[in-house]
Amino acid sequence: MARFLIAPQWQGSPSARAMLLVDGASAIAGDLPRAATTVLEVPVEAGDSLGTAVHRLSSLTRVRALIAEHMQPETVLIGGDCSVTVAALAAIDTSDLAVVWCDAHPDLHTPVSSPSGAFSGMALRAVLGEAEPQLSLDPAISPERVVVVGARSIDDAEIEPLSGLRQVDAADLATPEALADAVAATGATRVWIHIDVDVLDPAEFSGVSSAEPFGVSPTVLSAAIRAVRARVPLAGATIAGFAPRTPADAVDDLGAILRLVGSVA
């Protein structure tokens, strides 16, 4: 049975509306089975960069420790900003793991290239072991075991690192087995699936800080994830980036969210 870990971290987000991520995590938590759900008490304060180029680093490291304390096998982690995935991966055995990164943004900045200093924009680079040392994975995930899904808002500094990773476009998911084939090609025996909900098409999902057109539908993404799970065991998953502007907006989007939850749980 899946366990749900709610990590309403907002400190990794570059958005001026980052605190809406707390509301989004709470809205999702309200529809999960209470006995299988743990809600972390994330620091309220922004935190300090501690002399690095990563904003709010002190709070990010505190949340990382909280996540490590509560991680269990087959955990579904609910963010918060999507950098919580880095903390989850740091707490498990990743030696045989592939990472599927479903996100409109590839999150491949370094502290040097980032225009915002926000860690969520460096999260996948940290999974690869190439971001701020206090937050990067060690050992890192090999680029050969990373699959990027639905990335379509790509900064110049991200083009080169993205070119070395397997990519599946939103349109590719019209073929149900496309993502499963990409994961199988990594040779990994388990997979972690990260979903930043801005990978979804804004015509079908509105609760994100920065909507990008031409995304994937919740139904198609859920089907692709189920196809992956039919071939490679799931080590865990993340659903992050839900930032509804009002409670009514949260209700409108929860059907899509719960479809994604069902596909990973």
Side-chain angles (χ1 to χ4, degrees):
M1 177 180 177
R3 300 284 307 178
F4 298 96
L5 186 59
I6 314 299
Q9 174 183 279
W10 60 273
Q11 290 92 338
S13 171
S15 174
R17 296 188 292 269
M19 290 294 291
L20 293 177
L21 293 167
V22 178
D23 298 334
S26 297
I28 297 171
D31 271 1
L32 299 177
R34 184 170 300 180
T37 301
T38 300
V39 180
L40 300 181
E41 293 191 16
V42 169
V44 175
E45 65 271 16
D48 188 86
S49 64
L50 301 178
T52 73
V54 177
H55 290 183
R56 308 164 183 155
L57 177 65
S58 62
S59 290
L60 296 172
T61 55
R62 287 173 63 188
V63 176
R64 182 174 178 133
L66 282 172
I67 290 173
E69 182 182 344
H70 290 88
M71 279 294 294
Q72 298 182 27
E74 299 181 8
T75 292
V76 176
L77 185 64
I78 306 294
D81 70 74
C82 61
S83 66
V84 295
T85 294
V86 187
L89 294 176
I92 66 172
D93 175 14
T94 61
S95 59
D96 61 343
L97 192 72
V99 173
V100 172
W101 199 268
C102 305
D103 201 317
H105 312 86
D107 298 340
L108 285 168
H109 277 288
T110 67
V112 173
S113 71
S114 173
S116 68
F119 184 54
S120 63
M122 313 174 203
L124 184 53
R125 200 65 178 264
V127 169
L128 296 167
E130 299 172 353
E132 163 58 42
Q134 295 180 68
L135 297 172
S136 292
L137 289 193
D138 184 16
I141 302 293
S142 166
E144 289 77 18
R145 289 194 278 121
V146 173
V147 181
V148 177
V149 178
R152 55 197 187 276
S153 179
I154 302 162
D155 292 339
D156 288 348
E158 298 176 298
I159 293 173
E160 189 277 330
L162 181 60
S163 69
L165 305 176
R166 286 183 174 83
Q167 298 177 59
V168 177
D169 293 336
D172 296 333
L173 296 179
T175 301
E177 293 295 320
L179 181 55
D181 289 344
V183 174
T186 69
T189 59
R190 298 179 303 144
V191 61
W192 185 284
I193 296 178
H194 165 96
I195 305 169
D196 183 334
V197 291
D198 68 12
V199 75
L200 300 175
D201 194 283
E204 299 192 48
F205 191 92
S206 62
V208 298
S209 298
S210 178
E212 301 292 343
F214 310 115
V216 63
S217 80
T219 300
V220 168
L221 181 58
S222 297
I225 291 170
R226 291 182 188 278
V228 170
R229 294 189 65 189
R231 292 167 64 178
V232 182
L234 192 70
T238 309
I239 298 175
F242 186 35
R245 286 166 175 77
T246 68
D249 289 344
V251 171
D252 289 343
D253 283 336
L254 273 174
I257 290 280
L258 294 177
R259 185 174 290 114
L260 295 176
V261 169
S263 71
V264 297

